[in-house]
Amino acid sequence: MACLPVSDEQLERAAALLRTGGIVAFPTETVYGLGAVAFDGLAVARIFEIKARPRFDPLIVHVADRQQLAQCVIDVPPVAERLIAAFWPGPLTLVLRKCEAIGSLLTGGLATVAVRMPSHPVARALLERTGSPIAAPSANPFGGLSPTRAEHVAAALGDRVDMILDGGPTEYGLESSIILIEPTPTLLRHGAIPVEQIEAVIGPVQRDIPPGSATLAPGRLPHHYAPHTPLRLIAPERVPMQERTEAASLAFRRVQSGYRAALALSPSGDLRIAAAHLFDALHRLDAAGATRIDVEPVPESGLGSAIMDRLTRGSAR
Ligand code: TXA
Ligand code: MG
């Protein structure tokens, strides 16, 4: 554990806080999470309160190993086993049938639980030291921008959490991909693992939730991941110069001129780099005092699908 960005003492203090009902924000390879011991009903209730999260929107449970996984789910169907072999530890969340020990507050009353095994060394060390699965949604107020740096968590929730572990900027910058396993493998959220890679392992997955089954995907709200400043998805060439002066711009490759603040996600057009910069760029532009943020669409393949999912929801009013 020589090159962990947080010290042994900090990890020990965080684990002790969690074991006694505390709430600790910690880095994962995707975004920062707001953690509580998954079996501690009171601490889980505090997470909902701190985030102002609706009770119907369940949390993701993080596990260190198979033993912790077995404390959360009834069984692991063969399709899930193949995904685990291919992608864990890493940014893939599986929705499986929950055990008794997982409370219904955590799952929003569903019979299933979302679980993932993170790869981030700080998240893993925290899970091991705490000795229990940790429930953690993204560490942002409900509906807002996800945090990819400890500073984002401190600015939005700093006074309401017991501790923030600072592991620096996160690697992927986008939340995990979520797959519902039964009855049919279904993509519930585009995320850090492109759906094409998932399909290469288990074959085609359903991508549309049938109408009327909203309870299968309670978190798929049209308005989510939004900055305070209104967001507009638009090709830069369609914005006249006189409309730029009070606005901010987030371009894909090339910084746009004439805006009061402007950033580009990846000059080389690399979607992985774009994803890693997305939320941090939006946090920065949101603080620029602009009337609006114009965002350039990115190509919708691979990670581009997850980036466009966040931008489409972030711009919905
Ligand atoms: O990368 C991530 O997944 C991050 C890090 C911290 O691990 N976590 C995260 O959690 O993004 P959160 O709470 O922001 O998003 C969890 C999503 C929600 O949309 C929720 O509705 C969905 O997972 N979810 C949780 N349990 C579910 C279940 N049993 N069935 C269907 N969807 C579920
Ligand atoms: Mg979230």
Side-chain angles (χ1 to χ4, degrees):
M1 295 219 303
C3 52
L4 274 190
V6 304
S7 69
D8 256 12
E9 290 77 13
Q10 284 173 308
L11 274 172
E12 206 41 61
R13 190 154 71 84
L17 279 166
L18 286 170
R19 284 193 299 263
T20 52
I23 308 292
V24 173
F26 63 96
T28 80
E29 67 277 23
T30 58
V31 301
Y32 276 72
L34 189 64
V37 164
F39 307 122
D40 183 335
L42 275 179
V44 167
R46 253 185 91 200
I47 288 186
F48 280 87
E49 223 174 270
I50 292 172
K51 277 192 65 122
R53 185 178 180 107
R55 294 283 169 125
F56 61 78
D57 193 2
L59 309 182
I60 292 178
V61 176
H62 299 69
V63 297
D65 49 32
R66 293 298 295 230
Q67 212 181 334
Q68 289 191 354
L69 175 65
Q71 294 171 17
C72 303
V73 305
I74 290 181
D75 60 354
V76 181
V79 171
E81 285 293 356
R82 275 149 63 198
L83 290 172
I84 288 172
F87 298 113
W88 279 13
L92 178 70
T93 296
L94 303 178
V95 175
L96 298 166
R97 287 196 298 154
K98 79 170 188 75
C99 284
E100 276 295 303
I102 296 289
S104 66
L105 173 61
L106 191 156
T107 67
L110 298 176
T112 52
V113 62
V115 276
R116 80 178 191 94
M117 189 185 288
S119 60
H120 195 291
V122 172
R124 299 191 59 76
L126 187 63
L127 282 161
E128 281 157 18
R129 286 183 191 227
T130 306
S132 161
I134 296 176
S138 53
N140 54 280
F142 181 72
L145 293 174
S146 298
T148 57
R149 293 172 179 267
E151 296 89 322
H152 299 156
V153 185
L157 302 174
D159 52 345
R160 280 173 276 173
V161 302
D162 296 310
M163 186 175 178
I164 301 172
L165 284 172
D166 185 352
T170 62
E171 179 189 348
Y172 289 90
L174 278 180
E175 295 83 351
S176 60
S177 307
I178 306 182
I179 297 281
L180 171 76
I181 297 296
E182 289 177 326
T184 313
T186 304
L187 181 73
L188 297 185
R189 178 173 74 186
H190 281 285
I193 297 183
V195 64
E196 295 88 342
Q197 284 184 31
I198 294 169
E199 292 187 323
V201 175
I202 57 167
V205 302
Q206 198 169 308
R207 299 192 196 188
D208 299 307
I209 311 289
S213 56
T215 51
L216 282 182
R220 304 209 337 167
L221 302 175
H223 178 67
H224 212 119
Y225 310 108
H228 301 289
T229 316
L231 203 71
R232 176 172 77 164
L233 263 172
I234 187 165
E237 60 274 14
R238 290 187 43 219
V239 187
M241 277 298 163
Q242 67 272 19
E243 278 184 26
R244 299 189 177 194
T245 34
E246 297 305 315
S249 157
L250 181 58
F252 178 34
R253 290 165 172 259
R254 202 164 51 85
V255 176
Q256 296 298 308
S257 59
Y259 284 95
R260 75 183 281 155
L263 294 170
L265 288 174
S266 168
S268 63
D270 183 330
L271 287 169
R272 211 172 149 139
I273 294 173
H277 290 160
L278 177 68
F279 281 120
D280 188 48
L282 287 171
H283 277 284
R284 283 170 201 268
L285 294 175
D286 201 16
T291 50
R292 174 184 89 235
I293 305 172
D294 286 343
V295 187
E296 180 178 5
V298 303
E300 282 203 59
S301 61
L303 282 177
S305 306
I307 295 174
M308 285 303 286
D309 169 80
R310 305 303 186 271
L311 291 175
T312 306
R313 289 174 208 271
S315 59
R317 287 282 134 189

